[in-house]
Amino acid sequence: MTITASTFREEAGRLQPKLVEIRRELHQHPELSQEEFETTRRIRGWLEEIDGIRILELGLKTGVVAEIEGAMPGPTIALRADIDALPVKEETGLPFSSTIPGKMHACGHDFHTASIIGAAALLQKQAPQLKGKIRLLFQPAEERAVGAAELIAAGALNGVDAVLGMHNKPELPVGTIGLRSGPLMASVDRFEISVSGKGGHAAIPDSAIDPVVVSSAIVTALQSLVSRNVSPLDSAVVSVCRLEAGSTWNVIPDSAILEGTVRTFQPETRERIPALMQRIAEGVAQGYGAAAELKWIPCIPAVNNHSEMTEIMRSAALAQGLNVVEAAPTMGGEDFSLYQEKVPGCFIWMGTSGTEEWHHPKFTLHEDALAVSAALFAEAAVLALASVQMK
Ligand SMILES: [Zn+2]
Ligand SMILES: [Zn+2]
């Protein structure tokens, strides 16, 4: 027997009530990044219900890694879902709203988790026909951008040849996916600039070096990074989000701190910015007789979709009768990018006919997208098994 696209579509339809049940149970019990203990326990339970799936014991505090073994040898394709929730007070009024005060699955990771459990059930059923393995990554702490690194450090990617993942997209209707080869989400980095001046009396500024004035000049000067140092054909964002100085109204403080984030798409741009930023901060400070020091805290690279994996996702979506649109990139970040640094990968937008944006207290999605995504990822995994080269 061979697997056809309709096999997954019909099976997913039958699974739909179970997927709704899974998603709602997760939705009612959201847990924050690195605290996903009950979520982990539940996911293990659901995977154990699917005969044949093997949970890999990697010593993770939270999160689950499991594997489906095909009857024949071949590559290993990873499917990734994130599992954490947010410190948001739910206001959807849904009958299955969060039961945990101040916490909510406001980014739809409950949906991602249920969908990939669905894909796992569909694939395990076809294990006798599969040539290769499917690695299932239920990743914790995406919202804090540390979970992917934890999984990689634990060996979750060992032996994996390619990786596929998604994020729900409220503005796309169910049945449509957003697809894009190349950069889809930006790199995320953090910076801190300490400015040292000389404190003094507010009324005697000539005997002081005012770090507030220096910091303001630095904030303004940093804006030229994007307009004058980044190619007009590339994109970047420099945002200073915290500026702290002084403790009262009539004393010029000694020092000030600026903190913010830089987002880029191209690795070359990302590499160039810290040195440019340092030159501007130090140069401006020097002009005022002050000093500035830059601390650069690299976080995550850009989500950059591999062309071959993108074509696999496109073929899978078309085989499943889905509508494929060119995905609009965003300057938001995703630690899925860390997997893509190791192996070719594709991250897509999954249409969920939502009403509000991610992280909103009234964020919702249409549950019909559950069976659609389960079938799509099962289909994509099978196509990837057939075309990805083993390392
Ligand atoms: Zn989020
Ligand atoms: Zn999210």
Side-chain angles (χ1 to χ4, degrees):
M1 192 185 97
T2 52
I3 307 166
T4 64
S6 59
T7 315
F8 287 138
R9 203 161 40 234
E10 286 158 19
E11 289 281 331
R14 279 193 282 277
L15 264 185
Q16 172 69 3
K18 176 69 181 174
L19 301 184
V20 168
E21 188 191 310
I22 291 174
R23 186 255 162 167
R24 291 186 180 189
E25 185 163 339
L26 289 170
H27 194 83
Q28 285 185 296
H29 304 96
E31 293 177 296
L32 303 184
S33 300
Q34 293 178 307
E35 297 172 7
E36 309 94 334
F37 299 106
E38 288 306 304
T39 306
T40 296
R41 190 184 56 74
R42 287 190 167 90
I43 295 169
R44 289 181 78 103
W46 288 314
L47 292 176
E48 278 159 7
E49 282 174 22
I50 309 167
D51 225 16
I53 289 189
R54 188 163 63 96
I55 293 176
L56 306 187
E57 301 300 345
L58 301 179
L60 295 166
K61 206 161 64 97
T62 56
V64 184
V65 178
E67 198 163 85
I68 295 167
E69 191 158 359
M72 290 153 279
T76 300
I77 308 301
L79 303 182
R80 180 270 209 167
D82 42 9
I83 67 171
D84 53 332
L86 287 158
V88 170
K89 188 174 175 295
E90 181 158 357
E91 291 173 14
T92 60
L94 288 167
F96 55 89
S97 286
S98 169
T99 57
I100 317 236
K103 296 179 190 173
M104 178 190 175
H105 267 293
C107 205
H109 298 184
D110 50 345
F111 165 79
H112 303 160
T113 303
S115 299
I116 296 303
I117 291 174
L122 298 178
L123 287 161
Q124 178 60 46
K125 204 166 176 189
Q126 304 302 328
Q129 272 77 246
L130 298 183
K131 291 191 177 88
K133 294 176 184 169
I134 309 295
R135 183 79 49 87
L136 306 161
L137 309 177
F138 295 94
Q139 180 209 303
E142 186 282 323
E143 295 292 355
R144 290 189 49 205
V146 293
E150 280 176 19
L151 248 61
I152 292 168
L157 227 49
N158 293 354
V160 168
D161 297 293
V163 61
L164 300 170
M166 67 160 150
H167 206 290
N168 66 82
K169 196 71 172 156
E171 50 275 53
L172 293 181
V174 175
T176 293
I177 69 158
L179 192 65
R180 187 174 203 275
S181 183
L184 179 70
M185 298 180 81
S187 62
V188 179
D189 296 305
R190 226 177 100 187
F191 66 86
E192 214 180 273
I193 298 170
S194 2
V195 176
S196 313
K198 188 177 162 213
H201 196 292
I204 319 172
D206 48 308
S207 71
I209 299 171
D210 189 347
V212 175
V213 173
V214 177
S215 301
S216 313
I218 291 176
V219 172
T220 308
L222 287 178
Q223 299 314 306
S224 72
L225 266 174
V226 173
S227 69
R228 301 293 88 177
N229 296 114
V230 173
S231 158
L233 303 176
D234 190 9
S235 305
V237 173
V238 175
S239 289
V240 177
C241 301
R242 188 170 79 92
L243 208 171
E244 209 172 291
S247 51
T248 186
W249 64 282
N250 58 358
V251 176
I252 294 172
D254 259 330
S255 59
I257 290 273
L258 287 77
E259 204 183 356
T261 181
V262 173
R263 310 292 170 104
T264 58
F265 280 136
Q266 300 300 337
E268 311 80 64
T269 310
R270 186 184 185 209
E271 263 165 46
R272 283 175 57 227
I273 283 190
L276 292 167
M277 187 173 254
Q278 187 168 8
R279 192 175 76 189
I280 291 173
E282 285 178 3
V284 169
Q286 215 172 38
Y288 286 84
E293 204 185 324
L294 171 81
K295 192 169 145 200
W296 182 260
I297 306 142
C299 299
I300 47 171
V303 169
N304 203 337
N305 285 333
H306 189 270
S307 55
E308 189 195 339
M309 299 311 295
T310 306
E311 284 321 301
I312 289 172
M313 283 306 305
R314 187 188 311 279
S315 308
L318 295 177
Q320 284 297 317
L322 305 183
N323 184 28
V324 179
V325 297
E326 176 77 6
T330 149
M331 297 312 276
E334 236 288 353
D335 66 0
F336 184 82
S337 59
L338 291 174
Y339 304 119
Q340 291 178 308
E341 276 196 327
K342 306 271 178 204
V343 296
C346 182
F347 192 76
I348 63 158
W349 299 144
M350 174 61 65
T352 46
S353 304
T355 50
E356 305 294 336
E357 247 320 322
W358 303 327
H359 296 202
H360 192 278
K362 291 193 169 107
F363 171 88
T364 55
L365 48 85
H366 202 296
E367 288 172 329
D368 282 356
L370 284 163
V372 174
S373 349
L376 172 64
F377 278 87
E379 180 84 33
V382 168
L383 294 184
L385 284 178
S387 61
V388 168
Q389 296 294 317
M390 266 173 86
K391 274 194 297 209

